[in-house]
Amino acid sequence: KQEVTQIPAALSVPEGENLVLNCSFTDSAIYNLQWFRQDPGKGLTSLLLIQSSQREQTSGRLNASLDKSSGRSTLYIAASQPGDSATYLCALPSGQAGTALIFGKGTTLSVSS
Amino acid sequence: GAVVSQHPSWVICKSGTSVKIECRSLDFQATTMFWYRQFPKQSLMLMATSNEGSKATYEQGVEKDKFLINHASLTLSTLTVTSAHPEDSSFYICSARDPGVYGYTFGSGTRLTVV
């Protein structure tokens, strides 16, 4: 059964720092991997989706990489801002495309000004 | 992009009553929707998979008689928490995948408090 782990569980940084959030998974036979952001008491906002055939995806200050063979993905946030403070979740389909997502426990990021 | 609307965003109910939560796909048809539950400081846990026109598939440990799911159309799935108790208080969130898009879209969630 696929398991998803995110490290660190929490992270506090000053504004302007570059940071890396880590996600690991046990079964490398994945269809894709998706990074989400969740603000307190809110739903999930999709940040980046990486297909299994891709190595990375970029959106603005965010860059997500995928290494299937090692079962790892990283989310890189450049020049962090207080508005980036949120919980970041990594998720993968439990099976083939269209199946439910399995989530990591998330990394809670706090960026201070 | 694909949008999923979830209502209500929060609800407070008395113990023993039932609460219905709606999840709608606004600009696409979703034959399958997913219902998740999230406890404070925990990640999302899948409760059930809602299939249009057929019975929902529940995860192990989820009481199907307590959490009734109806997916009567291609754009609407509902979750009814029956005879709610304080331990059912949680954050419930639905999700769907637009067939034209690879990723999943989530509703804004419903905070249920049972008093």
Side-chain angles (χ1 to χ4, degrees):
Chain A
K1 181 181 178 182
Q2 180 74 272
E3 293 183 4
V4 182
T5 303
Q6 290 188 248
I7 295 173
L11 183 62
S12 293
V13 300
E15 183 176 7
E17 274 204 8
N18 302 324
L19 54 100
V20 175
L21 308 182
N22 297 290
C23 172
S24 61
F25 43 94
T26 54
D27 186 349
S28 61
I30 64 171
Y31 188 76
N32 56 42
L33 184 146
Q34 199 165 355
W35 283 92
F36 294 90
R37 167 183 173 143
Q38 185 177 30
D39 292 289
K42 304 294 184 182
L44 275 64
T45 300
S46 180
L47 298 174
L48 289 164
L49 170 72
I50 310 178
Q51 297 296 334
S52 61
S53 58
Q54 298 175 320
R55 296 283 296 185
E56 64 179 278
Q57 279 286 330
T58 298
S59 176
R61 294 182 294 107
L62 305 179
N63 176 276
S65 67
L66 175 63
D67 184 344
K68 277 182 29 178
S69 61
S70 66
R72 295 173 187 250
S73 176
T74 61
L75 179 66
Y76 175 82
I77 302 177
S80 58
Q81 303 171 357
D84 294 331
S85 299
T87 296
Y88 291 81
L89 295 163
C90 165
L92 307 88
S94 56
Q96 60 186 354
T99 54
L101 293 178
I102 295 177
F103 286 84
K105 292 187 176 180
T107 294
T108 299
L109 173 65
S110 176
V111 181
S112 57
S113 56
Chain B
V3 177
V4 172
S5 175
Q6 185 174 342
H7 293 281
S9 56
W10 61 270
V11 59
I12 301 173
C13 71
K14 291 185 177 181
S15 185
T17 62
S18 296
V19 172
K20 180 184 286 188
I21 302 170
E22 291 189 350
C23 181
R24 293 181 184 273
S25 56
L26 297 187
D27 49 3
F28 66 99
Q29 294 183 332
T31 56
T32 302
M33 291 186 178
F34 305 98
W35 288 95
Y36 296 84
R37 181 173 182 175
Q38 186 179 34
F39 289 105
K41 300 190 183 300
Q42 298 293 317
S43 192
L44 282 75
M45 297 298 294
L46 179 67
M47 297 177 63
T49 300
S50 172
N51 303 297
E52 188 268 335
S54 64
K55 292 183 178 180
T57 303
Y58 291 82
E59 294 301 297
Q60 189 173 8
V62 177
E63 300 176 57
K64 59 181 66 176
D65 293 332
K66 167 170 274 297
F67 300 100
L68 299 180
I69 291 174
N70 183 280
H71 195 153
S73 78
L74 288 172
T75 59
L76 174 64
S77 176
T78 60
L79 168 67
T80 301
V81 183
T82 63
S83 186
H85 289 94
E87 57 266 30
D88 298 324
S89 298
S90 188
F91 188 66
Y92 295 86
I93 189 165
C94 67
S95 171
R97 176 173 169 265
D98 183 345
V101 178
Y102 289 113
Y104 293 75
T105 302
F106 284 77
S108 55
T110 298
R111 170 72 58 192
L112 170 64
T113 302
V114 184
V115 297

mmCIF file of all heavy atoms in Angstrom, chain A residues 33-35 46-51 54-66 73-79:
data_model
loop_
_atom_site.group_PDB
_atom_site.id
_atom_site.type_symbol
_atom_site.label_atom_id
_atom_site.label_comp_id
_atom_site.label_asym_id
_atom_site.label_seq_id
_atom_site.Cartn_x
_atom_site.Cartn_y
_atom_site.Cartn_z
ATOM 1 N N LEU A 33 1.975 13.098 -9.384
ATOM 2 C CA LEU A 33 2.110 13.596 -8.026
ATOM 3 C C LEU A 33 1.669 15.045 -8.026
ATOM 4 O O LEU A 33 1.989 15.807 -8.941
ATOM 5 C CB LEU A 33 3.560 13.459 -7.542
ATOM 6 C CG LEU A 33 3.869 13.858 -6.102
ATOM 7 C CD1 LEU A 33 4.972 12.971 -5.535
ATOM 8 C CD2 LEU A 33 4.243 15.317 -5.968
ATOM 9 N N GLN A 34 0.920 15.406 -7.003
ATOM 10 C CA GLN A 34 0.364 16.754 -6.957
ATOM 11 C C GLN A 34 0.716 17.418 -5.629
ATOM 12 O O GLN A 34 0.631 16.788 -4.563
ATOM 13 C CB GLN A 34 -1.168 16.683 -7.134
ATOM 14 C CG GLN A 34 -1.833 17.966 -7.557
ATOM 15 C CD GLN A 34 -3.267 17.725 -8.074
ATOM 16 O OE1 GLN A 34 -3.739 16.598 -8.205
ATOM 17 N NE2 GLN A 34 -3.972 18.808 -8.378
ATOM 18 N N TRP A 35 1.110 18.671 -5.705
ATOM 19 C CA TRP A 35 1.357 19.476 -4.505
ATOM 20 C C TRP A 35 0.199 20.438 -4.311
ATOM 21 O O TRP A 35 -0.259 21.087 -5.261
ATOM 22 C CB TRP A 35 2.665 20.267 -4.643
ATOM 23 C CG TRP A 35 3.906 19.451 -4.429
ATOM 24 C CD1 TRP A 35 4.652 18.801 -5.369
ATOM 25 C CD2 TRP A 35 4.562 19.221 -3.177
ATOM 26 N NE1 TRP A 35 5.720 18.174 -4.787
ATOM 27 C CE2 TRP A 35 5.695 18.417 -3.442
ATOM 28 C CE3 TRP A 35 4.312 19.615 -1.859
ATOM 29 C CZ2 TRP A 35 6.569 18.002 -2.440
ATOM 30 C CZ3 TRP A 35 5.187 19.207 -0.866
ATOM 31 C CH2 TRP A 35 6.301 18.409 -1.164
ATOM 32 N N SER A 46 -4.538 23.587 -5.614
ATOM 33 C CA SER A 46 -3.504 22.868 -6.345
ATOM 34 C C SER A 46 -2.387 23.819 -6.759
ATOM 35 O O SER A 46 -2.641 24.896 -7.291
ATOM 36 C CB SER A 46 -4.114 22.209 -7.589
ATOM 37 O OG SER A 46 -3.113 21.517 -8.313
ATOM 38 N N LEU A 47 -1.164 23.405 -6.493
ATOM 39 C CA LEU A 47 -0.007 24.230 -6.849
ATOM 40 C C LEU A 47 0.666 23.722 -8.109
ATOM 41 O O LEU A 47 0.891 24.473 -9.051
ATOM 42 C CB LEU A 47 1.001 24.240 -5.694
ATOM 43 C CG LEU A 47 0.514 24.824 -4.379
ATOM 44 C CD1 LEU A 47 1.578 24.622 -3.297
ATOM 45 C CD2 LEU A 47 0.183 26.296 -4.535
ATOM 46 N N LEU A 48 1.019 22.459 -8.094
ATOM 47 C CA LEU A 48 1.744 21.877 -9.216
ATOM 48 C C LEU A 48 1.366 20.416 -9.350
ATOM 49 O O LEU A 48 1.141 19.723 -8.356
ATOM 50 C CB LEU A 48 3.264 21.995 -9.016
ATOM 51 C CG LEU A 48 3.866 23.399 -9.145
ATOM 52 C CD1 LEU A 48 5.266 23.428 -8.556
ATOM 53 C CD2 LEU A 48 3.880 23.843 -10.596
ATOM 54 N N LEU A 49 1.323 19.960 -10.587
ATOM 55 C CA LEU A 49 1.074 18.557 -10.892
ATOM 56 C C LEU A 49 2.221 18.067 -11.761
ATOM 57 O O LEU A 49 2.548 18.705 -12.769
ATOM 58 C CB LEU A 49 -0.249 18.403 -11.640
ATOM 59 C CG LEU A 49 -0.540 17.030 -12.232
ATOM 60 C CD1 LEU A 49 -0.863 16.042 -11.123
ATOM 61 C CD2 LEU A 49 -1.685 17.100 -13.229
ATOM 62 N N ILE A 50 2.836 16.967 -11.349
ATOM 63 C CA ILE A 50 3.917 16.383 -12.141
ATOM 64 C C ILE A 50 3.476 15.010 -12.620
ATOM 65 O O ILE A 50 3.123 14.147 -11.815
ATOM 66 C CB ILE A 50 5.210 16.220 -11.311
ATOM 67 C CG1 ILE A 50 5.570 17.504 -10.598
ATOM 68 C CG2 ILE A 50 6.362 15.795 -12.209
ATOM 69 C CD1 ILE A 50 6.808 17.354 -9.730
ATOM 70 N N GLN A 51 3.511 14.814 -13.905
ATOM 71 C CA GLN A 51 3.210 13.499 -14.456
ATOM 72 C C GLN A 51 4.401 12.581 -14.216
ATOM 73 O O GLN A 51 5.540 13.031 -14.050
ATOM 74 C CB GLN A 51 2.925 13.604 -15.961
ATOM 75 C CG GLN A 51 1.708 14.441 -16.314
ATOM 76 C CD GLN A 51 0.429 13.828 -15.789
ATOM 77 O OE1 GLN A 51 0.323 12.621 -15.582
ATOM 78 N NE2 GLN A 51 -0.559 14.669 -15.560
ATOM 79 N N GLN A 54 7.514 13.157 -16.187
ATOM 80 C CA GLN A 54 8.195 14.439 -16.060
ATOM 81 C C GLN A 54 9.180 14.427 -14.899
ATOM 82 O O GLN A 54 9.034 13.659 -13.945
ATOM 83 C CB GLN A 54 7.166 15.558 -15.861
ATOM 84 C CG GLN A 54 6.216 15.718 -17.041
ATOM 85 C CD GLN A 54 5.134 16.749 -16.777
ATOM 86 O OE1 GLN A 54 4.587 16.826 -15.675
ATOM 87 N NE2 GLN A 54 4.804 17.532 -17.794
ATOM 88 N N ARG A 55 10.141 15.328 -14.974
ATOM 89 C CA ARG A 55 11.127 15.445 -13.902
ATOM 90 C C ARG A 55 10.814 16.642 -13.007
ATOM 91 O O ARG A 55 11.137 16.637 -11.819
ATOM 92 C CB ARG A 55 12.518 15.631 -14.500
ATOM 93 C CG ARG A 55 13.002 14.445 -15.305
ATOM 94 C CD ARG A 55 13.473 13.332 -14.433
ATOM 95 N NE ARG A 55 14.641 13.678 -13.634
ATOM 96 C CZ ARG A 55 15.285 12.825 -12.857
ATOM 97 N NH1 ARG A 55 14.862 11.597 -12.744
ATOM 98 N NH2 ARG A 55 16.343 13.203 -12.171
ATOM 99 N N GLU A 56 10.212 17.685 -13.601
ATOM 100 C CA GLU A 56 9.894 18.840 -12.789
ATOM 101 C C GLU A 56 8.829 19.697 -13.450
ATOM 102 O O GLU A 56 8.550 19.574 -14.649
ATOM 103 C CB GLU A 56 11.150 19.680 -12.520
ATOM 104 C CG GLU A 56 11.787 20.305 -13.737
ATOM 105 C CD GLU A 56 13.006 21.141 -13.320
ATOM 106 O OE1 GLU A 56 12.822 22.290 -12.897
ATOM 107 O OE2 GLU A 56 14.120 20.611 -13.424
ATOM 108 N N GLN A 57 8.242 20.559 -12.613
ATOM 109 C CA GLN A 57 7.257 21.527 -13.067
ATOM 110 C C GLN A 57 7.514 22.828 -12.325
ATOM 111 O O GLN A 57 7.918 22.819 -11.150
ATOM 112 C CB GLN A 57 5.829 21.041 -12.762
ATOM 113 C CG GLN A 57 5.270 20.045 -13.750
ATOM 114 C CD GLN A 57 4.894 20.664 -15.062
ATOM 115 O OE1 GLN A 57 4.509 21.820 -15.154
ATOM 116 N NE2 GLN A 57 5.024 19.884 -16.129
ATOM 117 N N THR A 58 7.263 23.927 -13.009
ATOM 118 C CA THR A 58 7.520 25.243 -12.415
ATOM 119 C C THR A 58 6.296 26.128 -12.563
ATOM 120 O O THR A 58 5.625 26.103 -13.604
ATOM 121 C CB THR A 58 8.731 25.914 -13.078
ATOM 122 O OG1 THR A 58 9.891 25.107 -12.862
ATOM 123 C CG2 THR A 58 8.971 27.292 -12.497
ATOM 124 N N SER A 59 6.038 26.902 -11.509
ATOM 125 C CA SER A 59 4.978 27.900 -11.562
ATOM 126 C C SER A 59 5.416 29.063 -10.693
ATOM 127 O O SER A 59 5.420 28.973 -9.468
ATOM 128 C CB SER A 59 3.659 27.329 -11.066
ATOM 129 O OG SER A 59 2.656 28.332 -11.030
ATOM 130 N N GLY A 60 5.805 30.153 -11.347
ATOM 131 C CA GLY A 60 6.253 31.324 -10.604
ATOM 132 C C GLY A 60 7.457 31.011 -9.738
ATOM 133 O O GLY A 60 8.487 30.540 -10.226
ATOM 134 N N ARG A 61 7.320 31.229 -8.428
ATOM 135 C CA ARG A 61 8.421 30.975 -7.501
ATOM 136 C C ARG A 61 8.465 29.528 -7.024
ATOM 137 O O ARG A 61 9.316 29.186 -6.194
ATOM 138 C CB ARG A 61 8.274 31.894 -6.294
ATOM 139 C CG ARG A 61 8.445 33.384 -6.613
ATOM 140 C CD ARG A 61 8.339 34.269 -5.360
ATOM 141 N NE ARG A 61 7.011 34.256 -4.772
ATOM 142 C CZ ARG A 61 6.704 33.637 -3.644
ATOM 143 N NH1 ARG A 61 7.630 32.989 -2.950
ATOM 144 N NH2 ARG A 61 5.464 33.673 -3.174
ATOM 145 N N LEU A 62 7.591 28.704 -7.533
ATOM 146 C CA LEU A 62 7.528 27.312 -7.104
ATOM 147 C C LEU A 62 8.116 26.399 -8.172
ATOM 148 O O LEU A 62 7.879 26.582 -9.363
ATOM 149 C CB LEU A 62 6.087 26.898 -6.835
ATOM 150 C CG LEU A 62 5.279 27.730 -5.851
ATOM 151 C CD1 LEU A 62 3.873 27.176 -5.737
ATOM 152 C CD2 LEU A 62 5.947 27.779 -4.496
ATOM 153 N N ASN A 63 8.868 25.415 -7.685
ATOM 154 C CA ASN A 63 9.402 24.401 -8.582
ATOM 155 C C ASN A 63 9.286 23.064 -7.884
ATOM 156 O O ASN A 63 9.757 22.901 -6.759
ATOM 157 C CB ASN A 63 10.864 24.686 -8.926
ATOM 158 C CG ASN A 63 11.487 23.588 -9.778
ATOM 159 O OD1 ASN A 63 11.948 22.579 -9.258
ATOM 160 N ND2 ASN A 63 11.493 23.783 -11.079
ATOM 161 N N ALA A 64 8.652 22.116 -8.554
ATOM 162 C CA ALA A 64 8.511 20.777 -7.981
ATOM 163 C C ALA A 64 9.283 19.799 -8.842
ATOM 164 O O ALA A 64 9.213 19.850 -10.074
ATOM 165 C CB ALA A 64 7.046 20.375 -7.909
ATOM 166 N N SER A 65 10.021 18.920 -8.194
ATOM 167 C CA SER A 65 10.770 17.895 -8.911
ATOM 168 C C SER A 65 10.253 16.520 -8.523
ATOM 169 O O SER A 65 9.652 16.345 -7.463
ATOM 170 C CB SER A 65 12.256 18.004 -8.593
ATOM 171 O OG SER A 65 12.480 17.667 -7.239
ATOM 172 N N LEU A 66 10.513 15.564 -9.379
ATOM 173 C CA LEU A 66 10.071 14.196 -9.133
ATOM 174 C C LEU A 66 11.172 13.225 -9.522
ATOM 175 O O LEU A 66 11.703 13.279 -10.636
ATOM 176 C CB LEU A 66 8.818 13.885 -9.943
ATOM 177 C CG LEU A 66 8.295 12.453 -9.886
ATOM 178 C CD1 LEU A 66 7.877 12.092 -8.460
ATOM 179 C CD2 LEU A 66 7.135 12.257 -10.849
ATOM 180 N N SER A 73 9.921 13.512 -4.059
ATOM 181 C CA SER A 73 9.578 14.756 -4.740
ATOM 182 C C SER A 73 9.947 15.897 -3.812
ATOM 183 O O SER A 73 9.869 15.756 -2.588
ATOM 184 C CB SER A 73 8.091 14.813 -5.071
ATOM 185 O OG SER A 73 7.742 16.059 -5.645
ATOM 186 N N THR A 74 10.361 17.008 -4.394
ATOM 187 C CA THR A 74 10.652 18.185 -3.597
ATOM 188 C C THR A 74 9.884 19.374 -4.156
ATOM 189 O O THR A 74 9.666 19.465 -5.360
ATOM 190 C CB THR A 74 12.144 18.524 -3.578
ATOM 191 O OG1 THR A 74 12.572 18.801 -4.916
ATOM 192 C CG2 THR A 74 12.972 17.396 -3.004
ATOM 193 N N LEU A 75 9.480 20.241 -3.256
ATOM 194 C CA LEU A 75 8.860 21.505 -3.638
ATOM 195 C C LEU A 75 9.804 22.609 -3.192
ATOM 196 O O LEU A 75 10.084 22.754 -2.003
ATOM 197 C CB LEU A 75 7.491 21.683 -2.979
ATOM 198 C CG LEU A 75 6.780 23.005 -3.297
ATOM 199 C CD1 LEU A 75 6.417 23.065 -4.781
ATOM 200 C CD2 LEU A 75 5.526 23.172 -2.441
ATOM 201 N N TYR A 76 10.288 23.344 -4.159
ATOM 202 C CA TYR A 76 11.222 24.440 -3.898
ATOM 203 C C TYR A 76 10.456 25.758 -3.978
ATOM 204 O O TYR A 76 9.759 26.014 -4.963
ATOM 205 C CB TYR A 76 12.347 24.392 -4.934
ATOM 206 C CG TYR A 76 13.330 25.524 -4.860
ATOM 207 C CD1 TYR A 76 14.384 25.496 -3.949
ATOM 208 C CD2 TYR A 76 13.231 26.626 -5.717
ATOM 209 C CE1 TYR A 76 15.304 26.529 -3.886
ATOM 210 C CE2 TYR A 76 14.147 27.660 -5.667
ATOM 211 C CZ TYR A 76 15.184 27.604 -4.758
ATOM 212 O OH TYR A 76 16.096 28.626 -4.702
ATOM 213 N N ILE A 77 10.589 26.562 -2.933
ATOM 214 C CA ILE A 77 9.950 27.871 -2.909
ATOM 215 C C ILE A 77 11.054 28.917 -2.859
ATOM 216 O O ILE A 77 11.866 28.944 -1.920
ATOM 217 C CB ILE A 77 9.019 28.042 -1.696
ATOM 218 C CG1 ILE A 77 7.941 26.957 -1.703
ATOM 219 C CG2 ILE A 77 8.363 29.427 -1.713
ATOM 220 C CD1 ILE A 77 7.010 26.998 -0.495
ATOM 221 N N ALA A 78 11.095 29.745 -3.852
ATOM 222 C CA ALA A 78 12.125 30.785 -3.928
ATOM 223 C C ALA A 78 11.623 32.076 -3.300
ATOM 224 O O ALA A 78 10.448 32.420 -3.386
ATOM 225 C CB ALA A 78 12.497 31.025 -5.382
ATOM 226 N N ALA A 79 12.546 32.774 -2.663
ATOM 227 C CA ALA A 79 12.264 34.102 -2.115
ATOM 228 C C ALA A 79 10.946 34.108 -1.346
ATOM 229 O O ALA A 79 9.993 34.814 -1.702
ATOM 230 C CB ALA A 79 12.241 35.135 -3.229
#
